Amino acid sequence: MQDKKRFGEYIAEKRKKMNLTQEELAHKLYVIPTTISKWERGITYPDISMITCLCKELNISEHEFFTACDDETINKEKREIQKYRTFKKWLFILLNLSYLIGIVVCFICNLVLEKELSWFFIVLIGIFISFSITNVPFYLKNNKFRLLKIFFIVTGLVYLLLFTIHYVNKGQWLIGSFIIATFVFIFLWATILIGTFTKLAHSYKISIGLILFAVVTIVINPFCAKVLNIVNDESSIPNVFCAVFMIVLAFILTLRQFFSKKD
């Protein structure tokens, strides 16, 4: 309704500019004055067969006519884009602010409680990892290598986090944690590389990723137990269930893509 109202105001403005009354314009177009009134009140649009004559009498081009029809839609799209950009901007600011507050609070708490900096470094690197995932994309150009760059940063920070935890807690499991992280990253990097450099359909890429994650889900518990030389008493049923679900989902996506290409 708002579209028609704005369009009607446009028609009325152009009619008055040509010093025509509704009756005079109606006479020129071979319609009754009520028809012109309905156009200008936003009740109806002109019939398509009358557009050429109407444009001639109002001294406007057909392009101007259709632009006037679409103005409200275009403005609505522009408003939606502006809202999205504003939301994106404030989200970016709030995330930065929350990370900064978290760093300052943890820094003060660590000094007050332990009179030295210890676990603060663990939290700091954890915040850097979160920052890399949520905020770094804002700084990178939107190209196919963006995910690759982000994951490269996160990979390095994860190893740094493991080293920091080992250093702060004086643990004896640094090598084991590096081996486990590397094992998981091999599958994750394989997924990222396939998604970045292959020309497969997105459904196939997702399916391959799901299958790789399913493999990790099944073998991660026994692998960790072997590397850390501990007894694994946990049931593997939940892991197997998740892995089966991912494999089934990958199978469905593959079939859907396969048959959609045939059609």
Side-chain angles (χ1 to χ4, degrees):
M1 183 64 185
Q2 190 67 18
D3 293 355
K4 290 182 179 179
K5 184 177 180 181
R6 288 181 181 272
F7 173 74
E9 292 172 354
Y10 173 81
I11 293 295
E13 178 187 345
K14 292 298 181 181
R15 174 181 59 78
K16 291 174 183 176
K17 190 174 180 180
M18 297 298 296
N19 295 317
L20 292 172
T21 64
Q22 289 185 348
E23 289 77 8
E24 289 172 338
L25 180 59
H27 178 72
K28 289 177 178 290
L29 297 176
Y30 303 101
V31 296
I32 58 176
T34 307
T35 301
I36 307 297
S37 176
K38 287 182 178 180
W39 294 349
E40 295 184 358
R41 285 183 290 147
I43 298 176
T44 60
Y45 280 128
D47 187 85
I48 193 168
S49 62
M50 306 183 63
I51 292 176
T52 301
C53 294
L54 178 61
C55 290
K56 180 180 178 181
E57 298 301 333
L58 297 180
N59 195 28
I60 60 175
S61 67
E62 293 185 11
H63 174 73
E64 288 178 287
F65 175 87
F66 288 112
T67 299
C69 292
D70 294 337
D71 268 348
E72 180 60 22
T73 302
I74 293 171
N75 290 334
K76 184 177 180 181
E77 290 177 357
K78 288 181 178 179
R79 288 195 297 270
E80 292 297 326
I81 292 172
Q82 186 59 41
K83 285 181 182 179
Y84 170 75
R85 288 176 177 171
T86 303
F87 171 77
K88 185 178 177 180
K89 176 183 176 182
W90 279 105
L91 177 62
F92 178 70
I93 293 173
L94 290 173
L95 284 172
N96 281 329
L97 186 61
S98 63
Y99 288 139
L100 181 61
I101 292 172
I103 290 173
V104 172
V105 170
C106 291
F107 178 83
I108 295 173
C109 289
N110 196 189
L111 281 180
V112 170
L113 295 175
E114 299 189 11
K115 311 301 180 184
E116 64 177 2
L117 293 177
S118 55
W119 52 263
F120 165 75
F121 295 109
I122 299 174
V123 175
L124 180 63
I125 298 172
I127 289 176
F128 282 159
I129 292 174
S130 298
F131 178 85
S132 300
I133 296 171
T134 60
N135 286 39
V136 168
F138 287 99
Y139 295 104
L140 298 177
K141 292 182 179 180
N142 190 17
N143 56 45
K144 67 175 184 178
F145 298 112
R146 184 168 67 171
L147 183 60
L148 199 66
K149 294 173 182 176
I150 294 170
F151 201 66
F152 180 79
I153 295 171
V154 171
T155 300
L157 287 174
V158 168
Y159 283 111
L160 181 59
L161 177 63
L162 293 173
F163 176 80
T164 305
I165 294 172
H166 170 80
Y167 178 79
V168 171
N169 294 326
K170 304 295 189 287
Q172 303 297 323
W173 43 264
L174 180 63
I175 302 300
S177 65
F178 274 21
I179 293 173
I180 294 171
T182 302
F183 173 77
V184 175
F185 276 132
I186 287 173
F187 289 88
L188 292 177
W189 269 104
T191 303
I192 297 296
L193 293 174
I194 290 171
T196 303
F197 294 106
T198 64
K199 296 182 179 180
L200 296 172
H202 287 298
S203 296
Y204 290 146
K205 293 178 181 179
I206 295 172
S207 298
I208 293 172
L210 287 171
I211 292 172
L212 291 174
F213 290 156
V215 174
V216 174
T217 302
I218 292 173
V219 304
I220 190 64
N221 283 353
F223 182 79
C224 291
K226 183 69 175 178
V227 170
L228 300 176
N229 196 24
I230 58 177
V231 178
N232 180 25
D233 294 328
E234 295 183 6
S235 172
S236 61
I237 294 178
N239 295 50
V240 172
F241 178 80
C242 290
V244 170
F245 175 77
M246 285 188 282
I247 291 172
V248 170
L249 184 58
F251 182 71
I252 293 172
L253 288 173
T254 301
L255 286 179
R256 182 179 178 184
Q257 180 64 34
F258 177 77
F259 286 112
S260 65
K261 286 184 67 175
K262 277 193 169 185
D263 294 337

